[in-house]
Amino acid sequence: MVKRMIACCLLLVLALFGCTETKNTQYYMMDTVMSFSITGENAIAAERAIADRVAQLETVFSPTREDSELFRVNENAGSAMEVSRDFANLLALSLKASAETQGAFDVTLGGAVELWAHGKVPASEELEAQVTGSEKISLFENTLQTQKGLKLNFGAVAKGYASDCAKEILEEYEIPRALLSLGGNIYAHGEKEDGTPWNIGVRDPWGEAQDWLGILTARDEFIIASGDYERGFEEDGVRYHHILDPKTRRPATSDLRETVVVSQNGSRGDILSTALFVMGEEKAVAYWKNTRDFEMILVSSDGRVLITPNLKERFTLTKDSYILEVIG
């Protein structure tokens, strides 16, 4: 009888307060390690939905999987074809971003990306022969036609798009708090259980993977980083990183080592983290001053850390080898 009363009381408590749990998982998707930490009554279901959605997007945007939609589009360049809603939406967003950044961001570099992926410097003739340019694309609703020879690549925005989709799922499942990492793309959902914001480490581009130069606090926003330390190779004593300048089709000769964008939109944050790196410090600051719809951290090649004014109270520099500057 006593056991039955205890059981009934326990069920009443669970009914009144719910059963909150945290689901922690890690995957390798979209050519990167992803980790999800989700807390809430629907944590397990939300985590499964996010993992399934990201896996589905990989079948759309992977440039190497022969069964992906992107691979099919690139193989059939020159012919009109129907594309999925995800493909059309992200392509339209990317073309708009290319115009807004004056070409600093460009998804038509697929051919050049493939050449550099071999781990050696491509011949100049090969790079110059690549078909690129947004003007060589026609997109009307879900009907796409690209010029023969053109290859698309969404590597600089697909993970940001995936993080936007993940945010929608968290909201759909009424998740109170979560921290998602999609390979350099962080989404801080809600806040920690004690009511304080999440602490996000900003990588030291001269250090190892877990070396931080500072800590940023965040609630309900995306923190997306790009840098010349992420991927690359060395040839004849020269290191070549993976962020290409659309104008030269070669690794960008930027005076920045790292860009971090804080945004309310994952796709836009992903796009800008790449575009600002290609622009370099002066043009990146000018772009921010002209738009002011995001926050940013720029790590210069001479050891300065530039932050936008709204991050002044939220960013703590933890390495004294850097000089912190607030953008005026």
PDB file of all heavy atoms in Angstrom, residues 27 29-36 50 53-55 57 155 158-167 179-188 222-225 230-231 270:
ATOM      1  N   TYR A  27      27.834  13.222 -34.404  1.00  0.00           N
ATOM      2  CA  TYR A  27      27.741  12.591 -35.718  1.00  0.00           C
ATOM      3  C   TYR A  27      28.857  13.126 -36.613  1.00  0.00           C
ATOM      4  O   TYR A  27      29.438  14.176 -36.345  1.00  0.00           O
ATOM      5  CB  TYR A  27      26.396  12.910 -36.400  1.00  0.00           C
ATOM      6  CG  TYR A  27      25.174  12.445 -35.655  1.00  0.00           C
ATOM      7  CD1 TYR A  27      24.534  13.293 -34.751  1.00  0.00           C
ATOM      8  CD2 TYR A  27      24.643  11.183 -35.875  1.00  0.00           C
ATOM      9  CE1 TYR A  27      23.396  12.876 -34.070  1.00  0.00           C
ATOM     10  CE2 TYR A  27      23.512  10.758 -35.208  1.00  0.00           C
ATOM     11  CZ  TYR A  27      22.892  11.613 -34.309  1.00  0.00           C
ATOM     12  OH  TYR A  27      21.768  11.191 -33.637  1.00  0.00           O
ATOM     13  N   MET A  29      28.683  14.273 -40.306  1.00  0.00           N
ATOM     14  CA  MET A  29      27.809  14.564 -41.443  1.00  0.00           C
ATOM     15  C   MET A  29      28.295  15.828 -42.119  1.00  0.00           C
ATOM     16  O   MET A  29      28.941  16.666 -41.511  1.00  0.00           O
ATOM     17  CB  MET A  29      26.349  14.725 -41.001  1.00  0.00           C
ATOM     18  CG  MET A  29      25.726  13.454 -40.448  1.00  0.00           C
ATOM     19  SD  MET A  29      23.934  13.593 -40.107  1.00  0.00           S
ATOM     20  CE  MET A  29      23.932  14.655 -38.666  1.00  0.00           C
ATOM     21  N   MET A  30      27.970  15.977 -43.405  1.00  0.00           N
ATOM     22  CA  MET A  30      28.385  17.150 -44.162  1.00  0.00           C
ATOM     23  C   MET A  30      29.891  17.379 -44.061  1.00  0.00           C
ATOM     24  O   MET A  30      30.361  18.517 -43.968  1.00  0.00           O
ATOM     25  CB  MET A  30      27.608  18.395 -43.716  1.00  0.00           C
ATOM     26  CG  MET A  30      26.155  18.395 -44.117  1.00  0.00           C
ATOM     27  SD  MET A  30      25.328  19.981 -43.789  1.00  0.00           S
ATOM     28  CE  MET A  30      23.828  19.773 -44.760  1.00  0.00           C
ATOM     29  N   ASP A  31      30.638  16.283 -44.040  1.00  0.00           N
ATOM     30  CA  ASP A  31      32.100  16.330 -44.041  1.00  0.00           C
ATOM     31  C   ASP A  31      32.669  17.009 -42.803  1.00  0.00           C
ATOM     32  O   ASP A  31      33.735  17.620 -42.851  1.00  0.00           O
ATOM     33  CB  ASP A  31      32.614  17.031 -45.307  1.00  0.00           C
ATOM     34  CG  ASP A  31      34.077  16.718 -45.592  1.00  0.00           C
ATOM     35  OD1 ASP A  31      34.523  15.621 -45.221  1.00  0.00           O
ATOM     36  OD2 ASP A  31      34.774  17.580 -46.164  1.00  0.00           O
ATOM     37  N   THR A  32      31.962  16.919 -41.665  1.00  0.00           N
ATOM     38  CA  THR A  32      32.459  17.529 -40.435  1.00  0.00           C
ATOM     39  C   THR A  32      31.848  16.832 -39.231  1.00  0.00           C
ATOM     40  O   THR A  32      30.848  16.117 -39.340  1.00  0.00           O
ATOM     41  CB  THR A  32      32.128  19.039 -40.398  1.00  0.00           C
ATOM     42  OG1 THR A  32      32.837  19.645 -39.315  1.00  0.00           O
ATOM     43  CG2 THR A  32      30.631  19.265 -40.188  1.00  0.00           C
ATOM     44  N   VAL A  33      32.448  17.031 -38.067  1.00  0.00           N
ATOM     45  CA  VAL A  33      31.905  16.488 -36.827  1.00  0.00           C
ATOM     46  C   VAL A  33      30.839  17.439 -36.296  1.00  0.00           C
ATOM     47  O   VAL A  33      31.060  18.653 -36.214  1.00  0.00           O
ATOM     48  CB  VAL A  33      33.012  16.300 -35.773  1.00  0.00           C
ATOM     49  CG1 VAL A  33      32.419  15.833 -34.447  1.00  0.00           C
ATOM     50  CG2 VAL A  33      34.047  15.305 -36.261  1.00  0.00           C
ATOM     51  N   MET A  34      29.688  16.895 -35.945  1.00  0.00           N
ATOM     52  CA  MET A  34      28.597  17.680 -35.381  1.00  0.00           C
ATOM     53  C   MET A  34      28.234  17.120 -34.012  1.00  0.00           C
ATOM     54  O   MET A  34      28.230  15.905 -33.826  1.00  0.00           O
ATOM     55  CB  MET A  34      27.366  17.642 -36.293  1.00  0.00           C
ATOM     56  CG  MET A  34      27.596  18.201 -37.668  1.00  0.00           C
ATOM     57  SD  MET A  34      26.042  18.318 -38.617  1.00  0.00           S
ATOM     58  CE  MET A  34      26.650  19.078 -40.135  1.00  0.00           C
ATOM     59  N   SER A  35      27.931  17.995 -33.073  1.00  0.00           N
ATOM     60  CA  SER A  35      27.514  17.553 -31.746  1.00  0.00           C
ATOM     61  C   SER A  35      26.267  18.322 -31.325  1.00  0.00           C
ATOM     62  O   SER A  35      26.162  19.529 -31.546  1.00  0.00           O
ATOM     63  CB  SER A  35      28.636  17.749 -30.723  1.00  0.00           C
ATOM     64  OG  SER A  35      29.020  19.113 -30.647  1.00  0.00           O
ATOM     65  N   PHE A  36      25.318  17.603 -30.727  1.00  0.00           N
ATOM     66  CA  PHE A  36      24.046  18.178 -30.299  1.00  0.00           C
ATOM     67  C   PHE A  36      23.853  17.906 -28.809  1.00  0.00           C
ATOM     68  O   PHE A  36      23.981  16.766 -28.355  1.00  0.00           O
ATOM     69  CB  PHE A  36      22.864  17.557 -31.054  1.00  0.00           C
ATOM     70  CG  PHE A  36      22.989  17.578 -32.557  1.00  0.00           C
ATOM     71  CD1 PHE A  36      22.465  16.549 -33.324  1.00  0.00           C
ATOM     72  CD2 PHE A  36      23.631  18.622 -33.207  1.00  0.00           C
ATOM     73  CE1 PHE A  36      22.565  16.554 -34.704  1.00  0.00           C
ATOM     74  CE2 PHE A  36      23.746  18.645 -34.588  1.00  0.00           C
ATOM     75  CZ  PHE A  36      23.217  17.602 -35.343  1.00  0.00           C
ATOM     76  N   ILE A  50      16.383  16.369 -35.800  1.00  0.00           N
ATOM     77  CA  ILE A  50      17.473  17.203 -36.306  1.00  0.00           C
ATOM     78  C   ILE A  50      18.491  16.348 -37.062  1.00  0.00           C
ATOM     79  O   ILE A  50      18.929  16.707 -38.157  1.00  0.00           O
ATOM     80  CB  ILE A  50      18.150  17.966 -35.155  1.00  0.00           C
ATOM     81  CG1 ILE A  50      17.203  19.042 -34.612  1.00  0.00           C
ATOM     82  CG2 ILE A  50      19.460  18.607 -35.622  1.00  0.00           C
ATOM     83  CD1 ILE A  50      17.712  19.737 -33.365  1.00  0.00           C
ATOM     84  N   ARG A  53      17.088  15.386 -40.369  1.00  0.00           N
ATOM     85  CA  ARG A  53      17.008  16.524 -41.288  1.00  0.00           C
ATOM     86  C   ARG A  53      18.385  16.861 -41.855  1.00  0.00           C
ATOM     87  O   ARG A  53      18.527  17.113 -43.065  1.00  0.00           O
ATOM     88  CB  ARG A  53      16.435  17.739 -40.557  1.00  0.00           C
ATOM     89  CG  ARG A  53      16.285  19.003 -41.412  1.00  0.00           C
ATOM     90  CD  ARG A  53      15.232  18.840 -42.470  1.00  0.00           C
ATOM     91  NE  ARG A  53      14.872  20.120 -43.059  1.00  0.00           N
ATOM     92  CZ  ARG A  53      14.937  20.395 -44.350  1.00  0.00           C
ATOM     93  NH1 ARG A  53      15.341  19.470 -45.212  1.00  0.00           N
ATOM     94  NH2 ARG A  53      14.586  21.580 -44.807  1.00  0.00           N
ATOM     95  N   VAL A  54      19.403  16.861 -41.023  1.00  0.00           N
ATOM     96  CA  VAL A  54      20.757  17.159 -41.508  1.00  0.00           C
ATOM     97  C   VAL A  54      21.219  16.076 -42.482  1.00  0.00           C
ATOM     98  O   VAL A  54      21.820  16.373 -43.522  1.00  0.00           O
ATOM     99  CB  VAL A  54      21.742  17.300 -40.335  1.00  0.00           C
ATOM    100  CG1 VAL A  54      23.165  17.489 -40.857  1.00  0.00           C
ATOM    101  CG2 VAL A  54      21.362  18.483 -39.443  1.00  0.00           C
ATOM    102  N   ALA A  55      20.914  14.820 -42.155  1.00  0.00           N
ATOM    103  CA  ALA A  55      21.288  13.723 -43.053  1.00  0.00           C
ATOM    104  C   ALA A  55      20.593  13.868 -44.404  1.00  0.00           C
ATOM    105  O   ALA A  55      21.177  13.596 -45.459  1.00  0.00           O
ATOM    106  CB  ALA A  55      20.928  12.383 -42.412  1.00  0.00           C
ATOM    107  N   LEU A  57      19.613  16.732 -45.758  1.00  0.00           N
ATOM    108  CA  LEU A  57      20.226  17.861 -46.456  1.00  0.00           C
ATOM    109  C   LEU A  57      21.566  17.472 -47.067  1.00  0.00           C
ATOM    110  O   LEU A  57      21.964  18.016 -48.096  1.00  0.00           O
ATOM    111  CB  LEU A  57      20.400  19.041 -45.491  1.00  0.00           C
ATOM    112  CG  LEU A  57      19.115  19.740 -45.055  1.00  0.00           C
ATOM    113  CD1 LEU A  57      19.417  20.792 -43.987  1.00  0.00           C
ATOM    114  CD2 LEU A  57      18.412  20.381 -46.252  1.00  0.00           C
ATOM    115  N   GLY A 155      29.485  24.548 -49.976  1.00  0.00           N
ATOM    116  CA  GLY A 155      30.261  24.268 -48.776  1.00  0.00           C
ATOM    117  C   GLY A 155      30.339  25.419 -47.790  1.00  0.00           C
ATOM    118  O   GLY A 155      30.508  25.192 -46.586  1.00  0.00           O
ATOM    119  N   ALA A 158      25.959  25.566 -46.616  1.00  0.00           N
ATOM    120  CA  ALA A 158      25.050  24.440 -46.357  1.00  0.00           C
ATOM    121  C   ALA A 158      24.894  24.154 -44.872  1.00  0.00           C
ATOM    122  O   ALA A 158      23.778  23.864 -44.399  1.00  0.00           O
ATOM    123  CB  ALA A 158      25.542  23.186 -47.087  1.00  0.00           C
ATOM    124  N   LYS A 159      25.966  24.232 -44.096  1.00  0.00           N
ATOM    125  CA  LYS A 159      25.868  23.957 -42.665  1.00  0.00           C
ATOM    126  C   LYS A 159      25.084  25.063 -41.960  1.00  0.00           C
ATOM    127  O   LYS A 159      24.370  24.811 -40.989  1.00  0.00           O
ATOM    128  CB  LYS A 159      27.254  23.784 -42.054  1.00  0.00           C
ATOM    129  CG  LYS A 159      27.940  22.502 -42.504  1.00  0.00           C
ATOM    130  CD  LYS A 159      29.256  22.274 -41.793  1.00  0.00           C
ATOM    131  CE  LYS A 159      30.330  23.208 -42.278  1.00  0.00           C
ATOM    132  NZ  LYS A 159      30.718  22.939 -43.690  1.00  0.00           N
ATOM    133  N   GLY A 160      25.210  26.295 -42.443  1.00  0.00           N
ATOM    134  CA  GLY A 160      24.406  27.376 -41.886  1.00  0.00           C
ATOM    135  C   GLY A 160      22.927  27.163 -42.149  1.00  0.00           C
ATOM    136  O   GLY A 160      22.079  27.397 -41.281  1.00  0.00           O
ATOM    137  N   TYR A 161      22.612  26.697 -43.359  1.00  0.00           N
ATOM    138  CA  TYR A 161      21.226  26.384 -43.709  1.00  0.00           C
ATOM    139  C   TYR A 161      20.707  25.247 -42.834  1.00  0.00           C
ATOM    140  O   TYR A 161      19.569  25.286 -42.342  1.00  0.00           O
ATOM    141  CB  TYR A 161      21.151  26.011 -45.182  1.00  0.00           C
ATOM    142  CG  TYR A 161      19.755  25.753 -45.709  1.00  0.00           C
ATOM    143  CD1 TYR A 161      18.902  26.805 -46.015  1.00  0.00           C
ATOM    144  CD2 TYR A 161      19.301  24.448 -45.914  1.00  0.00           C
ATOM    145  CE1 TYR A 161      17.620  26.572 -46.516  1.00  0.00           C
ATOM    146  CE2 TYR A 161      18.028  24.204 -46.415  1.00  0.00           C
ATOM    147  CZ  TYR A 161      17.196  25.266 -46.712  1.00  0.00           C
ATOM    148  OH  TYR A 161      15.936  25.035 -47.205  1.00  0.00           O
ATOM    149  N   ALA A 162      21.553  24.248 -42.604  1.00  0.00           N
ATOM    150  CA  ALA A 162      21.168  23.125 -41.747  1.00  0.00           C
ATOM    151  C   ALA A 162      20.899  23.588 -40.321  1.00  0.00           C
ATOM    152  O   ALA A 162      19.969  23.102 -39.663  1.00  0.00           O
ATOM    153  CB  ALA A 162      22.263  22.059 -41.761  1.00  0.00           C
ATOM    154  N   SER A 163      21.686  24.549 -39.841  1.00  0.00           N
ATOM    155  CA  SER A 163      21.465  25.051 -38.476  1.00  0.00           C
ATOM    156  C   SER A 163      20.168  25.847 -38.381  1.00  0.00           C
ATOM    157  O   SER A 163      19.495  25.826 -37.345  1.00  0.00           O
ATOM    158  CB  SER A 163      22.663  25.891 -38.009  1.00  0.00           C
ATOM    159  OG  SER A 163      22.839  27.043 -38.803  1.00  0.00           O
ATOM    160  N   ASP A 164      19.777  26.543 -39.454  1.00  0.00           N
ATOM    161  CA  ASP A 164      18.468  27.208 -39.481  1.00  0.00           C
ATOM    162  C   ASP A 164      17.340  26.178 -39.375  1.00  0.00           C
ATOM    163  O   ASP A 164      16.360  26.378 -38.650  1.00  0.00           O
ATOM    164  CB  ASP A 164      18.296  28.011 -40.770  1.00  0.00           C
ATOM    165  CG  ASP A 164      19.023  29.344 -40.744  1.00  0.00           C
ATOM    166  OD1 ASP A 164      19.133  29.948 -39.661  1.00  0.00           O
ATOM    167  OD2 ASP A 164      19.482  29.787 -41.812  1.00  0.00           O
ATOM    168  N   CYS A 165      17.492  25.081 -40.095  1.00  0.00           N
ATOM    169  CA  CYS A 165      16.486  24.011 -40.047  1.00  0.00           C
ATOM    170  C   CYS A 165      16.426  23.398 -38.652  1.00  0.00           C
ATOM    171  O   CYS A 165      15.349  23.072 -38.144  1.00  0.00           O
ATOM    172  CB  CYS A 165      16.805  22.940 -41.081  1.00  0.00           C
ATOM    173  SG  CYS A 165      16.689  23.512 -42.800  1.00  0.00           S
ATOM    174  N   ALA A 166      17.590  23.238 -38.018  1.00  0.00           N
ATOM    175  CA  ALA A 166      17.640  22.688 -36.667  1.00  0.00           C
ATOM    176  C   ALA A 166      16.936  23.607 -35.678  1.00  0.00           C
ATOM    177  O   ALA A 166      16.220  23.140 -34.779  1.00  0.00           O
ATOM    178  CB  ALA A 166      19.089  22.473 -36.253  1.00  0.00           C
ATOM    179  N   LYS A 167      17.117  24.902 -35.832  1.00  0.00           N
ATOM    180  CA  LYS A 167      16.432  25.862 -34.958  1.00  0.00           C
ATOM    181  C   LYS A 167      14.921  25.705 -35.072  1.00  0.00           C
ATOM    182  O   LYS A 167      14.207  25.721 -34.052  1.00  0.00           O
ATOM    183  CB  LYS A 167      16.841  27.291 -35.333  1.00  0.00           C
ATOM    184  CG  LYS A 167      16.086  28.360 -34.561  1.00  0.00           C
ATOM    185  CD  LYS A 167      16.398  29.759 -35.064  1.00  0.00           C
ATOM    186  CE  LYS A 167      15.554  30.797 -34.326  1.00  0.00           C
ATOM    187  NZ  LYS A 167      15.805  32.176 -34.824  1.00  0.00           N
ATOM    188  N   LEU A 179      22.406  23.348 -27.271  1.00  0.00           N
ATOM    189  CA  LEU A 179      23.640  23.881 -27.851  1.00  0.00           C
ATOM    190  C   LEU A 179      24.033  22.938 -28.981  1.00  0.00           C
ATOM    191  O   LEU A 179      24.315  21.764 -28.751  1.00  0.00           O
ATOM    192  CB  LEU A 179      24.749  23.965 -26.800  1.00  0.00           C
ATOM    193  CG  LEU A 179      25.993  24.760 -27.204  1.00  0.00           C
ATOM    194  CD1 LEU A 179      25.636  26.221 -27.456  1.00  0.00           C
ATOM    195  CD2 LEU A 179      27.065  24.663 -26.117  1.00  0.00           C
ATOM    196  N   LEU A 180      24.017  23.469 -30.201  1.00  0.00           N
ATOM    197  CA  LEU A 180      24.309  22.671 -31.381  1.00  0.00           C
ATOM    198  C   LEU A 180      25.598  23.154 -32.023  1.00  0.00           C
ATOM    199  O   LEU A 180      25.797  24.363 -32.182  1.00  0.00           O
ATOM    200  CB  LEU A 180      23.172  22.774 -32.401  1.00  0.00           C
ATOM    201  CG  LEU A 180      21.744  22.548 -31.901  1.00  0.00           C
ATOM    202  CD1 LEU A 180      20.764  22.678 -33.073  1.00  0.00           C
ATOM    203  CD2 LEU A 180      21.599  21.192 -31.233  1.00  0.00           C
ATOM    204  N   SER A 181      26.449  22.217 -32.408  1.00  0.00           N
ATOM    205  CA  SER A 181      27.682  22.546 -33.113  1.00  0.00           C
ATOM    206  C   SER A 181      27.701  21.785 -34.423  1.00  0.00           C
ATOM    207  O   SER A 181      27.709  20.555 -34.439  1.00  0.00           O
ATOM    208  CB  SER A 181      28.910  22.164 -32.274  1.00  0.00           C
ATOM    209  OG  SER A 181      30.095  22.349 -33.024  1.00  0.00           O
ATOM    210  N   LEU A 182      27.682  22.534 -35.531  1.00  0.00           N
ATOM    211  CA  LEU A 182      27.704  21.923 -36.858  1.00  0.00           C
ATOM    212  C   LEU A 182      28.994  22.327 -37.569  1.00  0.00           C
ATOM    213  O   LEU A 182      29.003  23.056 -38.550  1.00  0.00           O
ATOM    214  CB  LEU A 182      26.481  22.357 -37.680  1.00  0.00           C
ATOM    215  CG  LEU A 182      25.125  21.789 -37.252  1.00  0.00           C
ATOM    216  CD1 LEU A 182      24.565  22.560 -36.049  1.00  0.00           C
ATOM    217  CD2 LEU A 182      24.110  21.856 -38.385  1.00  0.00           C
ATOM    218  N   GLY A 183      30.116  21.897 -37.012  1.00  0.00           N
ATOM    219  CA  GLY A 183      31.409  22.151 -37.636  1.00  0.00           C
ATOM    220  C   GLY A 183      31.726  23.609 -37.839  1.00  0.00           C
ATOM    221  O   GLY A 183      31.778  24.079 -38.962  1.00  0.00           O
ATOM    222  N   GLY A 184      31.970  24.350 -36.784  1.00  0.00           N
ATOM    223  CA  GLY A 184      32.253  25.788 -36.893  1.00  0.00           C
ATOM    224  C   GLY A 184      31.012  26.645 -36.881  1.00  0.00           C
ATOM    225  O   GLY A 184      31.098  27.871 -36.847  1.00  0.00           O
ATOM    226  N   ASN A 185      29.846  26.006 -36.914  1.00  0.00           N
ATOM    227  CA  ASN A 185      28.565  26.704 -36.848  1.00  0.00           C
ATOM    228  C   ASN A 185      27.899  26.353 -35.523  1.00  0.00           C
ATOM    229  O   ASN A 185      27.472  25.212 -35.321  1.00  0.00           O
ATOM    230  CB  ASN A 185      27.652  26.279 -38.001  1.00  0.00           C
ATOM    231  CG  ASN A 185      28.165  26.704 -39.358  1.00  0.00           C
ATOM    232  OD1 ASN A 185      27.617  27.577 -40.001  1.00  0.00           O
ATOM    233  ND2 ASN A 185      29.240  26.059 -39.791  1.00  0.00           N
ATOM    234  N   ILE A 186      27.811  27.305 -34.620  1.00  0.00           N
ATOM    235  CA  ILE A 186      27.209  27.075 -33.308  1.00  0.00           C
ATOM    236  C   ILE A 186      25.844  27.742 -33.242  1.00  0.00           C
ATOM    237  O   ILE A 186      25.686  28.900 -33.665  1.00  0.00           O
ATOM    238  CB  ILE A 186      28.092  27.657 -32.183  1.00  0.00           C
ATOM    239  CG1 ILE A 186      29.516  27.089 -32.236  1.00  0.00           C
ATOM    240  CG2 ILE A 186      27.462  27.393 -30.817  1.00  0.00           C
ATOM    241  CD1 ILE A 186      29.616  25.625 -31.968  1.00  0.00           C
ATOM    242  N   TYR A 187      24.858  27.017 -32.727  1.00  0.00           N
ATOM    243  CA  TYR A 187      23.568  27.651 -32.423  1.00  0.00           C
ATOM    244  C   TYR A 187      23.303  27.498 -30.936  1.00  0.00           C
ATOM    245  O   TYR A 187      23.202  26.386 -30.425  1.00  0.00           O
ATOM    246  CB  TYR A 187      22.420  27.040 -33.224  1.00  0.00           C
ATOM    247  CG  TYR A 187      21.081  27.620 -32.814  1.00  0.00           C
ATOM    248  CD1 TYR A 187      20.877  29.002 -32.824  1.00  0.00           C
ATOM    249  CD2 TYR A 187      20.045  26.810 -32.373  1.00  0.00           C
ATOM    250  CE1 TYR A 187      19.684  29.560 -32.424  1.00  0.00           C
ATOM    251  CE2 TYR A 187      18.831  27.354 -31.972  1.00  0.00           C
ATOM    252  CZ  TYR A 187      18.655  28.735 -31.996  1.00  0.00           C
ATOM    253  OH  TYR A 187      17.465  29.290 -31.581  1.00  0.00           O
ATOM    254  N   ALA A 188      23.215  28.630 -30.232  1.00  0.00           N
ATOM    255  CA  ALA A 188      22.937  28.656 -28.799  1.00  0.00           C
ATOM    256  C   ALA A 188      21.450  28.938 -28.616  1.00  0.00           C
ATOM    257  O   ALA A 188      20.993  30.057 -28.872  1.00  0.00           O
ATOM    258  CB  ALA A 188      23.778  29.727 -28.110  1.00  0.00           C
ATOM    259  N   PHE A 222      23.190  32.498 -33.588  1.00  0.00           N
ATOM    260  CA  PHE A 222      24.184  31.681 -34.271  1.00  0.00           C
ATOM    261  C   PHE A 222      25.548  32.346 -34.154  1.00  0.00           C
ATOM    262  O   PHE A 222      25.658  33.569 -34.312  1.00  0.00           O
ATOM    263  CB  PHE A 222      23.824  31.521 -35.745  1.00  0.00           C
ATOM    264  CG  PHE A 222      22.491  30.860 -35.978  1.00  0.00           C
ATOM    265  CD1 PHE A 222      21.326  31.614 -36.016  1.00  0.00           C
ATOM    266  CD2 PHE A 222      22.401  29.491 -36.163  1.00  0.00           C
ATOM    267  CE1 PHE A 222      20.086  31.012 -36.220  1.00  0.00           C
ATOM    268  CE2 PHE A 222      21.174  28.880 -36.374  1.00  0.00           C
ATOM    269  CZ  PHE A 222      20.008  29.640 -36.398  1.00  0.00           C
ATOM    270  N   ILE A 223      26.552  31.543 -33.898  1.00  0.00           N
ATOM    271  CA  ILE A 223      27.932  32.032 -33.853  1.00  0.00           C
ATOM    272  C   ILE A 223      28.715  31.188 -34.852  1.00  0.00           C
ATOM    273  O   ILE A 223      28.902  29.979 -34.641  1.00  0.00           O
ATOM    274  CB  ILE A 223      28.554  31.903 -32.442  1.00  0.00           C
ATOM    275  CG1 ILE A 223      27.690  32.648 -31.416  1.00  0.00           C
ATOM    276  CG2 ILE A 223      29.965  32.448 -32.434  1.00  0.00           C
ATOM    277  CD1 ILE A 223      26.665  31.782 -30.738  1.00  0.00           C
ATOM    278  N   ILE A 224      29.158  31.808 -35.938  1.00  0.00           N
ATOM    279  CA  ILE A 224      29.735  31.055 -37.049  1.00  0.00           C
ATOM    280  C   ILE A 224      31.110  31.619 -37.403  1.00  0.00           C
ATOM    281  O   ILE A 224      31.261  32.822 -37.617  1.00  0.00           O
ATOM    282  CB  ILE A 224      28.797  31.092 -38.268  1.00  0.00           C
ATOM    283  CG1 ILE A 224      27.445  30.486 -37.869  1.00  0.00           C
ATOM    284  CG2 ILE A 224      29.411  30.352 -39.445  1.00  0.00           C
ATOM    285  CD1 ILE A 224      26.407  30.498 -38.952  1.00  0.00           C
ATOM    286  N   ALA A 225      32.087  30.727 -37.459  1.00  0.00           N
ATOM    287  CA  ALA A 225      33.474  31.148 -37.671  1.00  0.00           C
ATOM    288  C   ALA A 225      34.050  30.562 -38.949  1.00  0.00           C
ATOM    289  O   ALA A 225      33.709  29.451 -39.365  1.00  0.00           O
ATOM    290  CB  ALA A 225      34.331  30.731 -36.482  1.00  0.00           C
ATOM    291  N   GLU A 230      41.509  26.191 -40.863  1.00  0.00           N
ATOM    292  CA  GLU A 230      40.604  25.044 -40.850  1.00  0.00           C
ATOM    293  C   GLU A 230      41.068  23.902 -41.750  1.00  0.00           C
ATOM    294  O   GLU A 230      41.206  22.764 -41.324  1.00  0.00           O
ATOM    295  CB  GLU A 230      39.195  25.490 -41.254  1.00  0.00           C
ATOM    296  CG  GLU A 230      38.523  26.380 -40.215  1.00  0.00           C
ATOM    297  CD  GLU A 230      37.139  26.824 -40.636  1.00  0.00           C
ATOM    298  OE1 GLU A 230      36.833  26.749 -41.841  1.00  0.00           O
ATOM    299  OE2 GLU A 230      36.369  27.249 -39.771  1.00  0.00           O
ATOM    300  N   ARG A 231      41.269  24.190 -43.038  1.00  0.00           N
ATOM    301  CA  ARG A 231      41.667  23.150 -43.985  1.00  0.00           C
ATOM    302  C   ARG A 231      42.677  23.732 -44.956  1.00  0.00           C
ATOM    303  O   ARG A 231      42.641  24.908 -45.278  1.00  0.00           O
ATOM    304  CB  ARG A 231      40.448  22.633 -44.762  1.00  0.00           C
ATOM    305  CG  ARG A 231      39.369  22.017 -43.886  1.00  0.00           C
ATOM    306  CD  ARG A 231      38.220  21.496 -44.715  1.00  0.00           C
ATOM    307  NE  ARG A 231      37.134  21.022 -43.886  1.00  0.00           N
ATOM    308  CZ  ARG A 231      36.030  20.462 -44.342  1.00  0.00           C
ATOM    309  NH1 ARG A 231      35.865  20.317 -45.651  1.00  0.00           N
ATOM    310  NH2 ARG A 231      35.085  20.047 -43.516  1.00  0.00           N
ATOM    311  N   ASP A 270      26.734  32.118 -41.959  1.00  0.00           N
ATOM    312  CA  ASP A 270      27.706  31.275 -42.650  1.00  0.00           C
ATOM    313  C   ASP A 270      28.254  31.978 -43.885  1.00  0.00           C
ATOM    314  O   ASP A 270      29.463  31.973 -44.145  1.00  0.00           O
ATOM    315  CB  ASP A 270      27.030  29.959 -43.049  1.00  0.00           C
ATOM    316  CG  ASP A 270      28.002  28.788 -43.103  1.00  0.00           C
ATOM    317  OD1 ASP A 270      29.196  28.992 -42.816  1.00  0.00           O
ATOM    318  OD2 ASP A 270      27.571  27.675 -43.432  1.00  0.00           O
TER     319      ASP A 270
END
